[in-house]
């Protein structure tokens, strides 16, 4: 055998090994420090009139902890079930007084059904001494899941009592604030361990934000005089007591279906931890290293502008600063438009950032946030300027640092886009789930999926995340998707994956989400648990479980 033949054989062997490695690592998130999950091969297809079942990684199973039709323990004229308003009644329950909402277009009224309340971001908490409910004689247990609801009217705050029986499974905490006004519809939620209250955001550009007690009924206070009004979604405290806020305000659509970046990342710095009535609201500003100038709303006016193309390019690094746009000490506590102040201060807008999470065990020095993008295959900025969205990483020397560095961690594509809710499954595994919308579902012939990314992986090399969930579409959502116009009674179509949340339920300051690495394999009273909601349609909330 000559030298050339030997070299050729060695080259072929090396190529074969490389190919084998590529095949075994494609779709994998590197050596997992948490659950090792097999990727679901493909998303479900949207077929008119067909309701496909969801598909999970074979290492997972799931169970419903509440569904839209679950009767609440304390019904009212407005709300008597977990996922529906009573605006279109179907009749009454056996007690003769509890209204049952019309959940499908029946009873001779083919174009109307009750509005769905759309339970959104989940917050899981454990209270060893329990919590009170509507029934003073009942023991509700110690494990609870809280949600604000994004649809219908009035806005609703609910609590799923995970240890309770069917009659006490869901409690309505509030539909009104302390002034007696109906709550606005709610998106994000988190727990404040300093004040032992819940914080809710509304995603309305002129709607209030809320702090809510754990009582039944809950005392819900408007805190928008301090943290502002905006299209707020994701909210998360850091170890210093600062509240990080991710805003989702859709920008104007250009002729090519590209949307102008119009949403910001904020940080509220309270005068002291737990004081959400006094402090400073700051907006994140990133600087383009090639120009030395900040990336602003004005600088991103045109299609495929240099600032946008720089932001959505692997390997780019941007110096960041926090700019104070409102200070209660000097500006007072009258509610204000945070988005307008962010633009005036030259904060950096993104294409619909939605939610964020701190990397566990990083001392709150690494913050990952999703960018939904344009959710339209016709956008000419999809492959060049963020139309497919992605995930950004913000690194700082401390959570209260005034400067940091921003990098694109993952850039989306047609198969992985519309990324919305985000949570960590382990120290290095982060899951982000899609909200692509019906337009893009039809364009790409694929419904939403949930993915696992490894934050140690360089996705510029072509690696793809693990698909742990190929979401299906329940029969109710299938009906809404087939309606003309879309959605009976103005309900939305298709199921969206929302409220993904992994936590051990720790309510202490040292136990803040992000302080410790999740361990879904652990057991015990304070084990880590994994939840999400299939929004729209039946509005089921699931717990995801690792198979033994």
């Amino acid at each position: 055998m000559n030298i050339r033949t030997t070299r050729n054989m060695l080259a072929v062997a090396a190529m074969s090994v490389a190919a084998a490695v590529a095949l075994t690592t494609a779709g994998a998130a590197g050596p997992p420090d948490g659950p090792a999950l097999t990727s679901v091969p493909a998303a479900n297809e949207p077929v008119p009139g067909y309701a496909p079942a969801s598909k999970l990684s074979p290492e997972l199973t799931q169970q419903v902890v509440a569904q839209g039709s679950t009767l609440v323990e304390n019904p009212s004229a407005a709300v008597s079930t977990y996922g529906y308003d009573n605006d279109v009644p179907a009749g009454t329950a056996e007690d003769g007084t509890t209204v049952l909402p019309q959940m499908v277009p029946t009873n001779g009224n083919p174009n109307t059904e009750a509005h769905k309340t759309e339970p959104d971001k989940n917050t899981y908490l454990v209270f060893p001494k329990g919590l009170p409910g509507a029934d003073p004689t009942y023991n509700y247990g110690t494990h609870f899941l809280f949600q604000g609801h994004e649809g219908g009217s009035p806005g609703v705050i609910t609590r799923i009592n995970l240890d309770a029986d069917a009659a006490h499974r869901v409690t309505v905490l509030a539909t009104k604030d302390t002034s007696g006004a109906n709550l606005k519809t709610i998106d994000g939620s988190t727990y404040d361990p300093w004040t032992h209250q819940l914080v809710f955001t509304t995603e309305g550009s002129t709607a209030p934000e809320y702090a809510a007690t754990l009582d039944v009924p809950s005392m819900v206070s408007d805190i928008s005089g301090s943290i502002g009004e905006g299209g707020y979604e994701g909210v998360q405290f850091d170890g210093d007591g600062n509240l990080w806020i991710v805003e989702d305000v859709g920008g104007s659509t250009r002729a090519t279906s590209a949307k102008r970046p119009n949403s910001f990342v904020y940080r509220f710095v309270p005068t002291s931890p737990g004081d959400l009535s006094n402090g400073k609201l700051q907006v994140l500003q990133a600087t383009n290293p090639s120009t030395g100038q900040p990336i602003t709303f004005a600088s991103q006016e045109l299609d495929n502008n240099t600032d946008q193309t720089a932001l959505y390019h692997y390997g780019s690094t941007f110096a960041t600063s926090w700019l104070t746009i409102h200070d209660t000490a000097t500006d007072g506590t009258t509610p204000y438009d945070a988005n307008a102040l962010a633009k005036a201060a030259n904060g950096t807008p993104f294409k619909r950032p939605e939610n964020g999470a701190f990397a566990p065990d990083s001392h709150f020095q690494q913050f990952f946030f999703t960018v939904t993008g344009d959710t339209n295959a016709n956008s000419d900025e999809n492959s060049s300027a963020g139309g497919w969205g992605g995930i950004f990483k913000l690194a700082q020397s401390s959570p209260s640092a005034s400067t940091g560095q921003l990098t694109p961690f993952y850039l989306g594509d047609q198969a992985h886009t519309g990324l919305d809710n985000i949570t960590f499954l382990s120290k290095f595994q982060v899951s982000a789930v899609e909200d692509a919308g019906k337009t893009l579902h039809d364009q790409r012939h694929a419904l939403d999926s949930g993915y696992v990314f490894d934050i140690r992986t360089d996705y510029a090399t072509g690696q793809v995340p693990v698909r742990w969930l190929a979401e299906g579409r329940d029969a109710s959502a299938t009906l809404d998707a087939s309606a003309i116009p879309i959605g009976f009674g103005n309900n939305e179509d298709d199921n969206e994956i929302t409220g993904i949340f992994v936590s051990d339920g720790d309510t202490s300051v040292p136990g803040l989400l992000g302080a410790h690495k999740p361990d879904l394999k652990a057991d015990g009273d304070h084990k880590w648990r994994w939840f999400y909601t299939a929004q729209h349609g039946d509005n089921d909330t699931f717990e995801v479980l690792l198979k033994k």
Side-chain angles (χ1 to χ4, degrees), residues 230-241:
Y232 295 166
E233 284 210 31
V235 282
Q236 175 71 56
F237 282 98
D238 65 32
D240 290 347

Side-chain angles (χ1 to χ4, degrees), residues 72-81 85-86 97-99 154 156 172 175:
V72 302
E73 67 163 342
N74 51 343
S76 66
V79 177
S80 56
T81 60
D85 282 342
N86 289 338
T97 59
T98 301
V99 177
V156 185
V172 173
T175 59

